[in-house]
Amino acid sequence: MDSPSHKPTPTLADRAYRIRRYALQMGEVQGQGYVGQALGWADVLAVAYGHAMNYRPEEPEWEGRDRFLLSHGHYAIALYAALIEAGIIPESELETYGSDDSRLPMSGMATYTPGMEISGGSLGQGLPIGVGMALGLRFKNNPAFVYNSMSDGELDEGSTWEAAMSAAHHGLSNLICLVDINNQQADGPSSKVLGFEPLADKWAAFGWHVQRIDGNDLPAVIEAFDTARNLQTAQPRVILFDTLMGKGIPFLEQRDKNHFIRVEAAEWQQAIAILDQSQQQEAV
Amino acid sequence: MNTAEKKPRLTTSAMIASIAAEGQRVKSAPFGNALVELAASRPDIVGMTADLAKYTDLHLFAKAYPQRFFQMGMAEQLLMAAAGGMAKEGLLPFITTYAVFGTRRAYDFIHQVIAEENLNVKLCCALPGLTTGYGPSHQATDDLAMMRGVPGLTIVDPCDALDVEQAVPAIAAHNGPVYMRLLRGNVPLVLDEYDYRFELGKAKMLRDGRDVLILSSGFMTMRALETAEELRKHAIDAAVLHSPTIKPLDAETILHEVAKPGRLVVVAENHSEIGGLGEAVARLLLCSGVRPAAFRQIALPDAFLDAGALPTLHDRYGISVEAMVTRIKSWL
Ligand SMILES: Cc1ncc(C[n+]2csc(CCOP(=O)(O)OP(=O)(O)O)c2C)c(N)n1
Ligand SMILES: [Mg+2]
């Protein structure tokens, strides 16, 4: 928003709650979806769109906006929820999620959706695109930030590390990379698919300012965004968020971890009810 | 939003849709099972994947032969180059990923590392052509065009579960790199009803007919067979020639069939109209001086395709049975 610093924490908790709720509603429309990822990433999206970023809901292509790149295109359900919360997409479009001729396809595409900056999904492309946009913005003397949102699976791709090296080389202080470390990939836990630890040391060795925090701890997420934005050094910034898939819905948090979390038809409404209940308790 | 008062659901795109129609006979994981069986007598076979074992049926091999399975992470360039390295050490890698990522991202690694040295790597890539509603990032509409451009690479586009399971030992027996379009999960079973065996490099007549010759590969052969049945109801007699080997083409069989007089020749493929089976056949005919009565292509348009439900998209782009029947009738 134009004056982000006045948003108090409870509002962000509200936003995270509604982002989770919208994502579950979209999951119910399809009967499936990357909802485990959306629930885990909701707090980061709430802070990005409710606190950190500069944008105009009614003018998604405003030149002064901070750019948010959804590199992990399969997280589209999460970003749609955030874009609805941000007022960029009307809530009524929820029901079209993943349907024929909808503006909300299963995998995020720039040509379909207002506020979707890139067509992600071929994983490992967001950060290289972000390098180019950050170079371009700096060239234009545009003070906007580029946020690249990516998954931990994308750490496997060589293109990510080509971009990491390039961003440091060019001193891209307007580039902030957000990594969802949910320890999940298609074939199993990321640590078993391709170990990437010690991850903070790797980014630091590549020349980045690094923070690693609990991505479901809202005050910590806010602080990390503030630190990344306010840093005075001429280097790119990465925030490594450890998140819990299914966060906020205990029966999903505890379910066998999977790239596609299994949700039975009746469970969508149960999940929404649990979410509503814990929101009411917090308000008390 | 209350479930009871919700509007009827629009058609939605499945996460990883099966190409099998409702009620169609299917066989589960023909690739994974065939590879496990073959590996018992071929100790040089290793399996490698880029974080997609579960989605390419290679997890069956990983389970049966954990010591011979290598998880390379979601790094397709590494996958191809490392498979080349394995082959240089005398092993026989079967590698899997999705067709888009294997071909587009790792093209140079296939071309330079694997093909240029004629290394014995079998690339088995799932989601060929338009087999997902995820949009261009996942729709491998151009894989055959790219792979046909790689010298010395043998290319296979199987139709069904039978084709896939018979192709596995056949491509293993072939000494050199192979690109196979992989059908995974519950794969339709069709060709067992025909007197058919997969032979590398051979096209096979599945049914004869006087009016139309449909030349096809991949699951479009399944569609071609259904189309031929439908056309029969309209007194149109259609032949189907299945050419699962895209490169090298079975020139002899194709020329022999096309040379028979009076038939409209339709090449049907689950691929862009640019650079696939249709163009390969057109070139063969032109260069050989064999002219059919007429020549048409059923293929995906040269465009970035939409996201959506597969049946909707197959209709929209003219590769459903209904669309094929309509188009072929209009060409006669
Ligand atoms: C370049 C590329 N290779 C492979 C895939 C297929 N794929 C889609 S999601 C995924 C898992 C990647 O890990 P991550 O994004 O961390 O998974 P999640 O946390 O969502 O389970 C894979 C391999 C892809 N989309 N892009
Ligand atoms: Mg992950």
Side-chain angles (χ1 to χ4, degrees):
Chain A
M1 296 285 181
D2 275 342
S3 51
S5 49
H6 307 297
K7 295 274 179 309
T9 309
T11 316
L12 292 176
D14 261 15
R15 286 180 180 274
Y17 152 72
R18 281 193 297 270
I19 289 171
R20 288 192 167 90
R21 203 173 192 285
Y22 294 140
L24 286 167
Q25 286 176 285
M26 281 183 272
E28 188 178 23
V29 169
Q30 274 285 318
Q32 55 185 349
Y34 297 95
V35 76
Q37 287 88 330
L39 293 168
W41 203 225
D43 296 309
V44 170
L45 290 170
V47 174
Y49 281 86
H51 173 77
M53 283 168 57
N54 236 344
Y55 61 94
R56 293 179 179 161
E58 68 290 351
E59 199 187 340
E61 290 177 27
W62 172 48
E63 172 68 6
R65 77 194 181 283
D66 289 332
R67 277 73 166 157
F68 188 94
L69 315 186
L70 190 78
S71 183
H72 40 175
H74 62 289
Y75 277 51
I77 187 170
L79 189 62
Y80 299 151
L83 292 172
I84 290 168
E85 174 59 23
I88 296 172
I89 300 174
E91 188 184 340
S92 57
E93 277 190 52
L94 271 180
E95 296 194 20
T96 73
Y97 169 67
S99 302
D100 289 345
D101 305 316
S102 165
R103 296 202 301 174
L104 312 181
M106 303 287 266
S107 190
M109 279 189 275
T111 46
Y112 279 57
T113 319
M116 187 68 77
E117 297 272 358
I118 63 168
S119 296
S122 182
L123 299 173
Q125 295 184 338
L127 197 57
I129 298 170
V131 166
M133 291 176 76
L135 283 169
L137 287 169
R138 192 169 72 184
F139 183 78
K140 295 192 289 185
N141 291 318
N142 183 327
F145 278 105
V146 177
Y147 291 89
N148 177 61
S149 174
M150 65 181 275
S151 67
D152 55 356
E154 297 188 86
L155 296 167
D156 296 3
E157 291 285 355
S159 55
T160 295
W161 298 102
E162 293 174 20
M165 203 150 89
S166 172
H169 174 78
H170 291 288
L172 294 178
S173 49
N174 54 349
L175 180 60
I176 299 177
C177 187
L178 315 169
V179 188
D180 181 9
I181 305 173
N182 63 359
N183 195 29
Q184 183 66 44
Q185 296 190 213
D187 274 343
S190 307
S191 52
K192 295 222 170 109
V193 170
L194 183 60
F196 46 63
E197 301 291 0
L199 191 56
D201 293 349
K202 278 199 180 71
W203 285 93
F206 271 70
W208 286 60
H209 175 270
V210 188
Q211 302 175 75
R212 183 163 189 166
I213 62 152
D214 177 348
N216 298 122
D217 175 352
L218 261 184
V221 174
I222 296 165
E223 201 184 313
F225 268 88
D226 289 346
T227 301
R229 284 155 67 228
N230 296 327
L231 196 73
Q232 291 307 311
T233 55
Q235 56 180 164
R237 302 98 210 264
V238 63
I239 313 175
L240 308 171
F241 296 101
D242 290 292
T243 66
L244 182 62
M245 287 183 95
K247 177 73 188 180
I249 312 296
F251 73 83
L252 292 179
E253 289 175 9
Q254 282 142 29
R255 186 152 293 175
D256 270 356
K257 291 290 175 280
N258 218 314
H259 182 55
F260 297 116
I261 204 158
R262 184 177 48 76
V263 182
E264 306 301 337
E267 288 179 336
W268 297 104
Q269 285 301 326
Q270 289 168 22
I272 288 170
I274 290 171
L275 204 61
D276 291 349
Q277 218 167 30
S278 45
Q279 179 64 11
Q280 279 156 15
Q281 277 163 9
E282 237 157 75
V284 170
Chain B
M1 199 157 59
N2 187 322
T3 322
E5 65 196 25
K6 230 171 39 181
K7 293 183 207 121
R9 245 179 227 181
L10 300 169
T11 325
T12 55
S13 50
M15 277 291 174
I16 297 168
S18 167
I19 55 160
E22 281 273 314
Q24 189 172 24
R25 281 188 311 131
V26 294
K27 204 162 177 180
S28 170
F31 167 73
N33 287 315
L35 192 62
V36 167
E37 194 187 318
L38 180 67
S41 60
R42 289 289 305 255
D44 53 338
I45 290 180
V46 292
M48 303 171 81
T49 191
D51 193 21
L52 284 170
K54 276 197 219 166
Y55 298 87
T56 56
D57 296 339
L58 193 66
H59 65 295
L60 298 175
F61 179 89
K63 202 166 163 223
Y65 301 100
Q67 305 298 324
R68 290 157 68 178
F69 170 74
F70 300 89
Q71 173 60 265
M72 304 310 291
M74 187 179 66
E76 293 77 14
Q77 298 176 336
L78 167 71
L79 174 70
M80 299 302 173
M86 285 268 206
K88 284 171 87 71
E89 296 300 333
L91 295 163
L92 175 52
F94 272 73
I95 68 101
T96 71
T97 178
Y98 286 164
V100 270
F101 310 123
T103 59
R104 290 184 192 150
R105 181 148 314 177
Y107 187 82
D108 187 30
F109 295 76
I110 295 171
H111 189 281
Q112 278 312 108
V113 178
I114 295 173
E116 202 264 339
E117 289 191 45
N118 196 40
L119 296 178
N120 208 8
V121 178
K122 313 304 169 186
L123 317 172
C124 303
C125 292
L127 294 185
L130 181 52
T131 47
T132 162
Y134 264 37
S137 65
H138 285 65
Q139 292 159 346
T141 54
D142 49 359
D143 62 331
L144 296 178
M146 281 188 284
M147 294 297 101
R148 281 183 65 230
V150 180
L153 186 65
T154 296
I155 303 172
V156 178
D157 186 17
C159 164
D160 73 342
L162 184 93
D163 234 4
V164 170
E165 66 190 15
Q166 294 187 353
V168 168
I171 64 175
H174 170 79
N175 186 30
V178 177
Y179 175 78
M180 178 165 85
R181 287 180 128 192
L182 185 61
L183 305 170
R184 56 83 204 265
N186 285 329
V187 180
L189 182 59
V190 176
L191 294 179
D192 61 332
E193 289 183 350
Y194 297 80
D195 182 22
Y196 175 83
R197 257 205 82 72
F198 175 86
E199 273 184 272
L200 194 60
K202 292 279 183 260
K204 300 273 173 96
M205 280 301 281
L206 298 179
R207 65 181 279 162
D208 214 342
R210 288 181 313 274
D211 306 317
V212 185
L213 171 66
I214 307 176
L215 207 170
S216 54
S217 69
F219 77 71
M220 288 304 283
T221 294
M222 178 175 94
R223 297 272 158 92
L225 290 166
E226 289 174 54
T227 298
E229 269 309 302
E230 282 302 307
L231 288 172
R232 203 162 59 106
K233 295 176 192 161
H234 300 91
I236 297 167
D237 200 15
V240 176
L241 176 59
H242 175 46
S243 179
T245 308
I246 305 285
K247 189 183 175 183
L249 270 185
D250 181 356
E252 195 184 328
T253 306
I254 293 172
L255 291 172
H256 174 75
E257 287 300 328
V258 173
K260 292 177 181 172
R263 290 199 292 198
L264 160 70
V265 170
V266 177
V267 181
E269 61 186 314
N270 169 32
H271 185 271
S272 162
E273 63 195 19
I274 305 281
L277 182 64
E279 282 195 358
V281 171
R283 176 184 176 279
L284 172 69
L285 301 185
L286 209 54
C287 292
S288 311
V290 172
R291 291 188 59 179
F295 181 90
R296 295 274 196 253
Q297 220 183 336
I298 289 179
L300 301 166
D302 175 28
F304 295 103
L305 306 187
D306 294 338
L310 272 187
T312 310
L313 299 179
H314 284 187
D315 266 338
R316 186 170 299 165
Y317 297 119
I319 65 168
S320 66
V321 173
E322 227 182 349
M324 286 173 74
V325 170
T326 310
R327 293 172 77 191
I328 290 173
K329 277 169 63 190
S330 78
W331 292 330
L332 282 167

